[in-house]
Amino acid sequence: MSLAQGRHYLAIPGPSVVPDRVLNAMHQPAPNIYEGALIDMVAGLIPDLKAVGRTKHSAAIYIANGHGTWEAAISNTLAAGDKVLVVASSHFALGWAGLAEKLGIKVDVIDFGKQPNFDLGCIEAALRADVNHEIKAVLTTHVDTSTSYKTDIAALRGVIDAADHPALFMVDCIASLGCDRFEMDEWGVDLMITACQKGLMTPPGMGFVFFNEKAATARKKLDRVSPYWDWSDRIEPEIFSNYFFGTAPTHHLLGLREALNMINEEGLEQVWDRHKRLSVAVHAAVDAWGQGEGAMRLNIADPAERSSAVTSVRIGAPDGTRLRKWVTDNAGVTLGIGLGMAASNDPAWHGFFRIGHMGHVNAQMVLGVLGSIDTALKALDIPHGPNAMAKATQSLSLGAFTSG
Ligand SMILES: *Cc1c(COP(=O)(O)O)cnc(C)c1O
């Protein structure tokens, strides 16, 4: 017998849960793309997007997933032969680096590995050693979705400034935007990318590049930019179709409009606080399960370096896969695989899982996930420490709290 019937919860770190309000907003006949409501709506969408990115600068929309925005960012700022420094907390920054290399960019990588802990001194040394300023951009992730490491973006900016280095600072916020506090302008980020299917709660298919004057100047210096990725017309469209270099992604736009309404109604600071509080409850439970005989561990030891959007967990093979399968089959919740933590043909691959708690998530959903995991540990006889649910509920009941 299974208790999985009922509404399924996809608790993976993207795509995230799509709110009914967003689904309903998309449930419309095809709108006109030449005049009328859609045209006005998109003009109003841009300022709201910038507000979530905490920037007063430019935002370009692409019909693309996150990988598309990686390419858009590079295509508009760099030419083949240019060099970048990629500061990686494993999987996703390395993916961006690999894409850059295929575009002919020379890539220097500092990878802090699967349990990252950034050594800012080492990054500063690499920038200082670049006396001729061959490094044109520093690329990193705000949150790496595989390790769930949150980079201190302001501190990294500080290091670039301390080295007095003119490189563009480009940040991947695909996992974190609308979940973890991010301040593009205040933290001195020149270019930021994100996609719609994580904190922005919209089905996958749209990506966004936010950029300031410094990045715009880099674009203007390039002899040639791949026409589809070129952001010039997209941010100053003479006709509506220039926003998208062709037909608008009509229903995605309707969905995104509603998602941004929801964020505006709740308030961005509140949205960050909600994510933070829910994630702290997840961390409290995992810590408790890891007590005594329990093998479970949070991948990121330092609370300040943990994301509010996703939690990577180590449990040891094969229990990660056993646990994921059990909760899907018996409790109606799907957890994330341990992306990038081991090769998929390595038995160790089965020793990890991730909990997505991004976007349209509330206390009962997170408590449901944690309760399902707690049940699975017992049903599968996986050794674990006691009182995880009590720790989680205690943490949620503590009102005094500030987001960080
Ligand atoms: C999800 C994600 C990506 C990839 O996005 P896609 O939409 O799958 O292309 C890139 N970077 C980070 C940090 C992500 O979380």
Side-chain angles (χ1 to χ4, degrees), residues 195-393:
C196 67
Q197 78 273 19
K198 298 187 185 181
L200 296 178
M201 305 178 286
T202 304
M206 276 194 302
F208 313 98
V209 180
F210 301 75
F211 58 95
N212 65 11
E213 274 306 312
K214 186 171 169 183
T217 303
R219 156 69 192 90
K220 286 182 191 130
K221 285 189 188 150
L222 295 177
D223 295 332
R224 188 158 44 141
V225 173
S226 148
Y228 188 78
W229 296 121
D230 194 349
W231 63 36
S232 311
D233 286 352
R234 290 174 185 263
I235 59 157
E236 278 169 353
E238 261 176 46
I239 51 170
F240 182 67
S241 63
N242 285 0
Y243 274 117
F244 311 101
F245 203 57
T247 305
T250 50
H251 288 70
H252 274 81
L253 292 165
L254 295 167
L256 181 68
R257 176 64 272 167
E258 192 61 22
L260 291 171
N261 290 347
M262 292 172 69
I263 290 174
N264 289 344
E265 284 163 26
E266 185 177 355
L268 187 57
E269 300 270 350
Q270 275 294 119
V271 170
W272 290 334
D273 270 358
R274 171 169 53 83
H275 280 86
K276 184 77 181 178
R277 292 194 60 186
L278 294 174
S279 70
V280 168
V282 171
H283 303 156
V286 176
D287 269 339
W289 284 319
Q291 300 301 307
E293 303 269 283
M296 220 191 272
R297 295 286 181 277
L298 289 162
N299 189 51
I300 303 300
D302 181 350
E305 294 172 343
R306 292 177 192 154
S307 164
S308 298
V310 52
T311 299
S312 289
V313 184
R314 298 173 167 257
I315 184 172
D319 287 339
T321 297
R322 287 176 74 216
L323 184 108
R324 281 193 300 105
K325 182 168 169 32
W326 194 94
V327 297
T328 297
D329 293 348
N330 296 283
V333 58
T334 296
L335 300 170
I337 61 167
L339 189 69
M341 300 305 271
S344 56
N345 57 358
D346 179 344
W349 188 88
H350 298 281
F352 306 90
F353 68 94
R354 290 174 301 162
I355 305 170
H357 33 85
M358 49 173 57
H360 193 53
V361 225
N362 59 22
Q364 57 95 1
M365 293 163 81
V366 164
L367 289 172
V369 170
L370 297 178
S372 301
I373 294 172
D374 200 57
T375 312
L377 292 170
K378 292 172 171 62
L380 294 170
D381 265 331
I382 298 174
H384 60 282
N387 299 328
M389 293 311 293
K391 295 284 184 200
T393 54

Side-chain angles (χ1 to χ4, degrees), residues 8-297:
H8 196 93
Y9 176 16
L10 187 68
I12 69 173
S16 65
V17 171
V18 183
D20 287 345
R21 273 179 67 177
V22 170
L23 290 172
N24 290 335
M26 297 176 81
H27 195 105
Q28 285 190 32
N32 191 352
I33 56 165
Y34 295 108
E35 57 188 19
L38 187 76
I39 281 92
D40 300 338
M41 186 273 271
V42 171
L45 202 63
I46 307 286
D48 284 0
L49 271 173
K50 289 188 206 172
V52 177
R54 298 286 237 196
T55 181
K56 60 179 172 25
H57 298 292
S58 300
I61 306 179
Y62 294 89
I63 302 175
N65 59 17
H67 283 69
T69 64
W70 280 350
E71 186 155 342
I74 288 167
S75 301
N76 279 289
T77 52
L78 301 161
D82 284 346
K83 189 195 267 192
V84 298
L85 176 65
V86 175
V87 185
S89 39
S90 200
H91 190 78
F92 283 95
L94 296 179
W96 199 3
L99 179 141
E101 259 178 338
K102 287 184 182 158
L103 292 171
I105 309 293
K106 289 184 208 143
V107 178
D108 283 353
V109 178
I110 304 176
D111 180 16
F112 292 104
K114 296 182 199 325
Q115 290 190 292
N117 186 356
F118 273 31
D119 174 354
L120 294 174
C122 146
I123 301 166
E124 186 174 333
L127 290 169
R128 283 188 188 279
D130 180 38
V131 283
N132 296 325
H133 295 163
E134 282 172 26
I135 295 170
K136 298 294 178 222
V138 175
L139 276 55
T140 198
T141 48
H142 182 213
V143 166
D144 182 287
T145 325
S146 66
T147 57
S148 68
Y149 181 77
K150 184 177 71 179
T151 303
D152 185 341
I153 296 297
L156 192 46
R157 172 80 253 174
V159 160
I160 299 171
D161 290 345
D164 203 13
H165 200 290
L168 287 168
F169 187 26
M170 318 217 294
V171 180
D172 172 343
C173 285
I174 297 172
S176 56
L177 202 79
C179 305
D180 282 285
R181 173 182 290 277
F182 178 80
E183 305 277 1
M184 174 164 164
D185 293 351
E186 192 187 317
W187 292 351
V189 173
D190 298 307
L191 182 152
M192 181 270 282
I193 54 174
T194 195
C196 67
Q197 78 273 19
K198 298 187 185 181
L200 296 178
M201 305 178 286
T202 304
M206 276 194 302
F208 313 98
V209 180
F210 301 75
F211 58 95
N212 65 11
E213 274 306 312
K214 186 171 169 183
T217 303
R219 156 69 192 90
K220 286 182 191 130
K221 285 189 188 150
L222 295 177
D223 295 332
R224 188 158 44 141
V225 173
S226 148
Y228 188 78
W229 296 121
D230 194 349
W231 63 36
S232 311
D233 286 352
R234 290 174 185 263
I235 59 157
E236 278 169 353
E238 261 176 46
I239 51 170
F240 182 67
S241 63
N242 285 0
Y243 274 117
F244 311 101
F245 203 57
T247 305
T250 50
H251 288 70
H252 274 81
L253 292 165
L254 295 167
L256 181 68
R257 176 64 272 167
E258 192 61 22
L260 291 171
N261 290 347
M262 292 172 69
I263 290 174
N264 289 344
E265 284 163 26
E266 185 177 355
L268 187 57
E269 300 270 350
Q270 275 294 119
V271 170
W272 290 334
D273 270 358
R274 171 169 53 83
H275 280 86
K276 184 77 181 178
R277 292 194 60 186
L278 294 174
S279 70
V280 168
V282 171
H283 303 156
V286 176
D287 269 339
W289 284 319
Q291 300 301 307
E293 303 269 283
M296 220 191 272
R297 295 286 181 277

